[in-house]
Amino acid sequence: MSPVIEIERVTKRYGQVVAVSDVSFALAPGISGLLGPNGAGKTTLLKLMAGLLTPSSGQVKFFGQKLRRHPQLYRRLGYCPEQNELYDFMSGREFLKLSAGLYGLADPAQAAEKALEQVALSAQAGRLIRVYSRGMRQRLKFAQSLLPDPEVLLLDEPLQGADPAQRRMLIELIRQLGQAGVTIVISSHVLYEVERMAQQIILINHGRLIALGDFHAIREAMDDRPHKVLLEVSEPQRLAALLTERELVSAVNLADEQLVVDIGDANAFYGALPRLIAENGLHLRRLSGLDEDLESVFRYLVH
Amino acid sequence: MSPPDERSERAGQAQGVIYQQGYRHYRGRYLGRLHAVVSLAWADGKRALGIGRGWKYKLGFFILVGILLIIALIAFGTNAVTERIGAGGQSRSFYPFANPYNGFFDSANGIILWLLFALIIPDLLCNDRRYGTLRLYLARPISLSDYLAGKALAIVGVLSAVLLAPALLLFLAKALGAVQPGAYLAAHLGDLGALLLSGLLFAVYYALISGALASLTKSTGYAAAGIVGLLIAARLVGSTVLAFTHRRMATLIDLSQLVGQIKSSLFGVNQPLITLNIQFQNGSQPVTPVIVQPYPVWVYLLAALAAVLLSALVIGWRYRREVDR
């Protein structure tokens, strides 16, 4: 199956400033989180994918074609921009009807109502956008990206400004769309939310691609960073001594009944631990990785 | 599920029923790009007319339109007076203002129209680039040309309405006020045609020139000042050069003269240029009026066409640059 979006050696410069530098990757259906600190080049990369910026070098392909040369391809794409300025002189419903008209949908009114329902904005749809709260604008932007029932959704900080209930609703909607086979790229700096949605991450910093793929696999691949593991065990001091003696850990921290260890070679550690526990008559109550989450991966790679 | 009896009727046939298709990309009919252009023009047309806008825009728009209507009423009144005292019976080619319709668009109401252009055009063009909504438009299945066509349609449509509404009201008032309205209409059909054509000409001409200026900046304020400033400066420079040289070449400097002369020719009027004879001799400054004959109309047509083409090129260049950033 050919990739939905292909980025081939793309560089984007603004004068002397390089916003995106020699980035290459391909995306297939599913949810991908586009991560990076502020100014990393996330929005620029999303705009390049949406055909709204022209690369200084390299090329971006959407279903094998260049978007800007084939405007009809936009029927397959929903784009939710970061900016909050919309058409303030319109009501939410009018804005969506105009957007549906620009997509060329046969029944703009019906498409608008469907999108409004999807983001739970029907009740406020008749009000002018200029009186909308930030969260409502956010949902409206999201709604306009859903109008063509897109095959690809590019979402730039779609949860910004939304309250916790709205965030939950939007995350659930994004997950459902991802499960239904829509290719979704979601840029966010709220890592735990991306972790709840995205199957893979695209991590960029200073315009360069730092990591791509399943974040658990990326964490596994980071051999130079010790894994932190928490153990709740009957005799933590004894286990600490045993692990140190066998050089299975590089650092040990003891607190109450808990033992936190830094492990270099995860395979050796996890291979030896069960035998060590059994042979020494210890009782292991809890074992969990402390830096297996997305935030740790992000911290390790970016800082 | 089908009821059991229905299922038994179909027994023996291979059957399949889809109960839930799940998420699917839109597979309905698409209305095409022309529909998209019209949708955009319609939305922008409403925006330019102040529908859904804040009170500041509405106030500015309706005050200017109100002044245009008042000028139309005054024109109706003064024309009635001139007809009564006999000036209307003189040769129209010698007394151009005896034809009330020829005075529209570029005499007393000219400056009001310029202010309206400065209000409407930057608002429709600058804000989309300033707030990034241009990119939102372009993330739809429309090209940059479609977008610009929609904008042009909206601007020309609204400008035509603003230009023509007071003039048509005046025409209607005069027709209804005539002893024989039918006869008046028949006698002035040419005026009506010239009115509509010149209104459209002014709308296209000023839309492009103002649009080119607005495309140079994202600030509505700078664009508005630029539009009014350029038109006033062109008029001042043109008038000054004419006053000192008495050469008709000066009429090509004044941007409003280009379309003004074409309009007069549509009304069948030879509109001479009246300036002052300014001399500086022996410290005295005798000032006497001088009449300068304009060029043939085709010269103004060519000059206006050049201005329009140049404006279109500037707009295309600026937007292409914006999109290709």
Side-chain angles (χ1 to χ4, degrees):
Chain A
M1 199 166 102
S2 63
V4 177
I5 298 174
E6 282 173 274
I7 308 266
E8 294 172 15
R9 306 209 62 182
V10 165
T11 295
K12 180 67 187 172
R13 288 187 208 89
Y14 294 105
Q16 297 295 312
V17 179
V18 181
V20 172
S21 177
D22 199 22
V23 169
S24 297
F25 60 82
L27 294 176
I31 305 176
S32 302
L34 178 58
L35 305 175
N38 284 339
K42 302 188 294 289
T43 296
T44 304
L45 194 54
L46 270 180
K47 284 182 177 171
L48 284 162
M49 285 188 223
L52 298 175
L53 289 176
T54 312
S56 306
S57 63
Q59 57 180 348
V60 181
K61 286 184 181 171
F62 186 83
F63 290 105
Q65 292 175 298
K66 289 188 177 177
L67 257 172
R68 272 260 63 91
R69 288 190 190 166
H70 303 91
Q72 71 279 8
L73 280 175
Y74 279 99
R75 289 173 179 164
R76 304 170 78 175
L77 171 70
Y79 171 64
C80 176
E82 186 185 17
Q83 104 238 352
N84 278 314
E85 286 78 14
L86 295 168
Y87 312 110
D88 284 4
F89 54 93
M90 290 181 183
S91 69
R93 182 174 282 113
E94 284 172 333
F95 168 66
L96 290 183
K97 276 168 73 175
L98 168 65
S99 296
L102 295 177
Y103 274 113
L105 304 181
D107 191 344
Q110 189 198 33
E113 293 307 325
K114 185 182 156 196
L116 285 165
E117 272 175 38
Q118 280 180 294
V119 299
L121 203 61
S122 301
Q124 296 92 6
R127 293 163 66 185
L128 287 179
I129 295 173
R130 70 164 164 264
V131 301
Y132 275 22
S133 67
R134 206 166 165 210
M136 286 160 72
R137 279 170 188 259
Q138 203 64 32
R139 282 186 284 156
L140 187 64
K141 281 193 300 182
F142 194 30
Q144 60 83 31
S145 70
L146 297 174
L147 282 167
D149 296 327
E151 292 167 70
V152 179
L153 259 176
L154 301 177
L155 310 171
D156 199 352
E157 300 281 358
L159 306 174
Q160 226 174 33
D163 65 31
Q166 291 164 359
R167 290 175 107 92
R168 269 200 303 280
M169 184 267 290
L170 291 175
I171 288 172
E172 189 50 41
L173 182 55
I174 292 168
R175 285 171 67 169
Q176 283 173 9
L177 291 166
Q179 282 162 8
V182 180
T183 304
I184 302 173
V185 181
I186 176 166
S187 125
S188 177
H189 60 272
V190 186
L191 299 179
Y192 75 90
E193 286 174 344
V194 174
E195 197 170 358
R196 286 172 62 191
M197 292 180 277
Q199 285 120 22
Q200 69 165 354
I201 59 165
I202 306 158
L203 184 55
I204 59 168
N205 194 18
H206 300 303
R208 289 185 172 277
L209 183 66
I210 305 291
L212 172 76
D214 181 280
F215 71 87
H216 295 292
I218 292 169
R219 179 65 188 95
E220 284 299 314
M222 290 160 57
D223 294 333
D224 58 328
R225 292 278 182 175
H227 292 246
K228 278 193 187 303
V229 177
L230 182 140
L231 300 119
E232 267 183 31
V233 67
S234 54
E235 293 176 67
Q237 284 167 328
R238 192 163 155 227
L239 179 61
L242 289 166
L243 290 168
T244 312
E245 191 180 296
R246 284 164 176 75
E247 293 182 345
L248 290 169
V249 294
S250 55
V252 172
N253 273 299
L254 262 169
D256 300 328
E257 290 291 297
Q258 292 185 334
L259 178 64
V260 176
V261 295
D262 286 7
I263 54 174
D265 185 344
N267 288 334
F269 174 81
Y270 288 113
L273 187 66
R275 193 155 35 89
L276 213 56
I277 298 281
E279 283 175 359
N280 292 281
L282 301 170
H283 296 286
L284 183 65
R285 289 188 290 273
R286 185 179 162 202
L287 171 73
S288 59
L290 289 182
D291 56 359
E292 304 294 313
D293 60 343
L294 182 54
E295 191 157 352
S296 304
V297 174
F298 184 81
R299 197 172 56 240
Y300 285 155
L301 288 170
V302 171
H303 300 297
Chain B
M1 292 285 281
S2 302
D5 52 343
E6 194 178 326
R7 274 184 285 166
S8 58
E9 276 175 27
R10 291 177 184 169
Q13 293 176 19
Q15 290 178 43
V17 180
I18 298 170
Y19 293 105
Q20 176 57 266
Q21 291 185 320
Y23 180 87
R24 289 204 316 169
H25 173 56
Y26 176 78
R27 302 212 183 274
R29 193 165 56 94
Y30 286 104
L31 295 177
R33 286 160 71 177
L34 181 64
H35 180 265
V37 170
V38 173
S39 299
L40 179 59
W42 181 251
D44 271 344
K46 289 199 293 185
R47 173 181 173 181
L49 292 171
I51 297 169
R53 305 299 304 273
W55 66 269
K56 280 184 191 167
Y57 183 92
K58 278 184 177 144
L59 193 69
F61 181 80
F62 286 109
I63 283 178
L64 292 171
V65 170
I67 294 172
L68 285 178
L69 289 172
I70 289 168
I71 291 171
L73 280 174
I74 292 169
F76 178 71
T78 51
N79 187 246
V81 173
T82 53
E83 277 180 351
R84 188 153 296 178
I85 62 175
Q90 300 291 329
S91 160
R92 282 174 52 170
S93 63
F94 192 74
Y95 290 103
F97 296 107
N99 181 338
Y101 311 116
N102 186 35
F104 262 97
F105 315 144
D106 64 349
S107 54
N109 49 3
I111 187 74
I112 305 299
L113 288 172
W114 293 355
L115 291 174
L116 260 173
F117 303 153
L119 179 75
I120 293 169
I121 295 168
D123 184 68
L124 290 188
L125 293 182
C126 298
N127 285 337
D128 282 358
R129 281 174 292 127
R130 186 176 184 181
Y131 298 119
T133 40
L134 169 64
R135 296 202 179 278
L136 205 52
Y137 279 120
L138 296 180
R140 318 276 189 238
I142 59 167
S143 65
L144 181 60
S145 332
D146 297 333
Y147 168 82
L148 290 174
K151 289 280 170 189
L153 198 59
I155 292 171
V156 171
V158 171
L159 293 193
S160 303
V162 163
L163 282 157
L164 288 171
L168 289 175
L169 265 178
L170 174 63
F171 187 90
L172 195 67
K174 284 184 71 66
L176 292 175
V179 182
Q180 289 178 302
Y184 182 90
L185 194 64
H188 291 85
L189 263 183
D191 281 341
L192 185 61
L195 200 61
L196 293 172
L197 208 56
S198 54
L200 191 63
L201 171 75
F202 269 61
V204 172
Y205 179 79
Y206 282 114
L208 279 162
I209 289 178
S210 307
L213 283 167
S215 73
L216 298 175
T217 174
K218 291 179 181 176
S219 155
T220 50
Y222 287 149
I227 291 166
V228 177
L230 176 78
L231 293 172
I232 289 177
R235 175 159 287 184
L236 282 178
V237 173
S239 306
T240 308
V241 172
L242 186 68
F244 280 97
T245 64
H246 304 154
R247 295 179 64 180
R248 56 186 179 175
M249 169 272 294
T251 59
L252 296 177
I253 298 171
D254 184 353
L255 289 168
S256 55
Q257 272 290 337
L258 305 183
V259 275
Q261 290 293 337
I262 298 169
K263 182 199 66 175
S264 293
S265 129
L266 284 172
F267 281 98
V269 169
N270 172 35
Q271 189 161 316
L273 303 144
I274 303 165
T275 184
L276 298 174
N277 183 19
I278 303 172
Q279 295 173 350
F280 299 99
Q281 289 170 351
N282 305 323
S284 64
Q285 296 180 18
V287 178
T288 51
V290 173
I291 292 177
V292 179
Q293 285 303 319
Y295 286 109
V297 71
W298 64 265
V299 176
Y300 296 104
L301 266 172
L302 278 182
L305 192 63
V308 160
L309 284 177
L310 183 66
S311 301
L313 283 174
V314 169
I315 294 171
W317 165 66
R318 286 293 299 178
Y319 273 87
R320 180 57 58 197
R321 230 181 76 155
E322 182 78 25
V323 171
D324 286 345
R325 272 195 310 132

